[in-house]
Amino acid sequence: LGAGVLILAAAYSWYWFLMADRIVLGIEEWAAKRRAEGFAVEYTGLAVNGFPLRMQPEAHNLRLASPGAEPAWEWRTSHLIANVLPYNLNHIVLTLQQPQDFTLRLDGEEAQRYRLTSANTRASLILSHGKIARAAMEILEGVLSGGRLTAGPLALEHGQVHARLDMPADETPDPRSPEPPKLMELSLDLENLSYEGFLKPVLGAELSRLDFRGVIEGDALPRSGVAGVRDWRDAGGIVQIAAFEIGWGPLNLSATGTVTLDKQDRLLGSMIAKLRGHEALIQSMQDAGELKPDEARGARLALGVIAMAAGATAGNSSGSQDHQGEFSLPLTLQDGEMLLGPVRLAKLKPIF
């Protein structure tokens, strides 16, 4: 029995170190391929630790950047830790304990440098045939500063993002009404996001929640960055929103619909929204001077009629606490304006 245990231990040790060497070799091969494509891939101190229960690749002084002397994007961090189980090398969990430094150049503009710090940042990658099939990231107590955040840092209490990239093809396409290919499923959950640049007289500077579930549809085109997004838009790309919910001061609504970008890079879309607490929203708009008293009366009347027609509860005991006063109405993003039924909520600025 003792000899058998020793043999098994020796075999496992041999397997572990063999896999560790293959991980290092795989990373180096991946880096060489990216460099051949023009990307910058730099790191020092690459090693695999964690014997015997896990495999923990680590690297220091990482730098990744897109091709060119003035790359469109660049990422740096002083230390990156990955965790992989010896029996499943296709699931990688990354721990990002040090500040993350990003540089972005949009449309040839001057480089914008950002820094992300957090109490904890983790990412998960699931590979299929050597490519990323699914990815997720979680951030706790994150702070993003620099770049275009001229009003101060952007703070996030908790955030999660999930992406599925291995979208299945439509097995029974209808040639009479062809559906655009699905590029990615995306979900986003943010809690207590605050930034003084958000500050609006009506809504304030803090979003208590922002949830999104949707599918990005369209053709995958070769150009990347802003040019690639515009090519996707011009080719008919859209975002199908299965669920969207926001809590921002007196604004509490959920919505479903479709969104894309117009030629000025502003949001363009049509959705059906469920609004809660419209009285508080209109009062805040009046208090902030966004609506004159007669305009506020007109908005109350219009939304009140819609609410009564929809059978919305008005804060009485018959409705649940979460849905009191809720009713549906159109949410339109067009010509640089956001319209909620008859009420103009905001001006829309170009994203880029």
Side-chain angles (χ1 to χ4, degrees):
L1 180 61
V5 171
L6 289 175
I7 292 172
L8 288 175
Y12 177 78
S13 298
W14 171 83
Y15 169 80
W16 192 97
F17 285 102
L18 175 65
M19 290 296 101
D21 289 341
R22 288 188 176 181
I23 288 174
V24 171
L25 180 61
I27 293 173
E28 292 176 342
E29 289 179 346
W30 175 86
K33 289 179 181 178
R34 301 293 83 74
R35 292 179 187 127
E37 295 169 353
F39 291 86
V41 182
E42 302 171 5
Y43 52 82
T44 62
L46 177 61
V48 179
N49 303 307
F51 180 82
L53 298 180
R54 66 185 187 278
M55 313 194 79
Q56 190 176 74
E58 296 186 41
H60 297 267
N61 304 316
L62 277 85
R63 174 180 176 263
L64 302 179
S66 61
E70 295 185 343
W73 60 264
E74 181 182 54
W75 169 66
R76 293 176 182 264
T77 188
S78 61
H79 190 201
L80 178 65
I81 302 172
N83 281 282
V84 183
L85 294 174
Y87 54 83
N88 184 8
L89 301 182
N90 288 322
H91 186 192
I92 305 168
V93 177
L94 304 173
T95 302
L96 303 152
Q97 297 176 331
Q98 303 300 321
Q100 315 296 306
D101 293 308
F102 306 88
T103 300
L104 299 175
R105 289 181 174 86
L106 298 177
D107 252 4
E109 296 180 356
E110 183 179 350
Q112 303 289 328
R113 293 177 172 82
Y114 298 87
R115 167 163 283 200
L116 173 65
T117 60
S118 68
N120 189 15
T121 299
R122 297 182 300 173
S124 173
L125 304 176
I126 296 178
L127 308 181
S128 177
H129 306 292
K131 296 182 179 180
I132 298 175
R134 304 194 181 202
M137 177 175 283
E138 181 179 30
I139 300 175
L140 295 176
E141 298 177 14
V143 176
L144 183 66
S145 59
R148 296 186 177 182
L149 299 174
T150 56
L154 184 152
L156 173 67
E157 183 177 300
H158 180 235
Q160 288 185 319
V161 59
H162 297 263
R164 180 183 178 185
L165 306 174
D166 60 337
M167 298 298 295
D170 188 351
E171 296 180 357
T172 58
D174 185 350
R176 295 168 299 178
S177 57
E179 294 289 331
K182 296 178 173 60
L183 296 179
M184 178 192 304
E185 283 183 358
L186 188 65
S187 67
L188 182 68
D189 299 286
L190 305 179
E191 298 175 12
N192 296 327
L193 181 68
S194 61
Y195 172 56
E196 289 300 317
F198 290 157
L199 186 60
K200 303 291 183 184
V202 177
L203 302 177
E206 180 172 324
L207 281 72
S208 59
R209 71 186 182 283
L210 178 63
D211 299 330
F212 170 88
R213 306 281 185 281
V215 178
I216 300 174
E217 298 181 352
D219 294 315
L221 300 171
R223 292 202 294 178
S224 60
V226 175
V229 174
R230 289 172 176 160
D231 289 346
W232 165 83
R233 171 201 64 196
D234 295 341
I238 61 172
V239 179
Q240 295 281 2
I241 301 175
F244 173 80
E245 187 168 355
I246 187 170
W248 188 0
L251 177 63
N252 290 278
L253 66 80
S254 57
T256 61
T258 60
V259 171
T260 186
L261 296 178
D262 65 15
K263 292 298 183 180
Q264 285 74 46
D265 299 327
R266 301 170 302 191
L267 290 175
L268 171 67
S270 176
M271 290 175 274
I272 296 298
K274 291 184 178 180
L275 177 66
R276 295 181 295 279
H278 68 279
E279 280 284 354
L281 176 62
I282 294 173
Q283 187 62 52
S284 295
M285 295 181 73
Q286 182 178 347
D287 293 343
E290 296 290 325
L291 291 177
K292 297 177 181 178
D294 57 337
E295 293 173 329
R297 284 193 295 271
R300 284 191 183 93
L301 177 61
L303 292 180
V305 169
I306 296 173
M308 285 191 294
T313 60
N316 56 48
S317 58
S318 62
S320 70
Q321 188 65 32
D322 291 339
H323 298 281
Q324 286 180 359
E326 180 180 280
F327 58 94
S328 299
L329 71 170
L331 175 62
T332 306
L333 311 173
Q334 190 172 4
D335 298 328
E337 292 188 334
M338 177 187 292
L339 296 172
L340 183 61
V343 180
R344 190 185 77 175
L345 281 183
K347 284 279 189 179
L348 299 175
K349 296 181 179 180
I351 293 178
F352 308 119

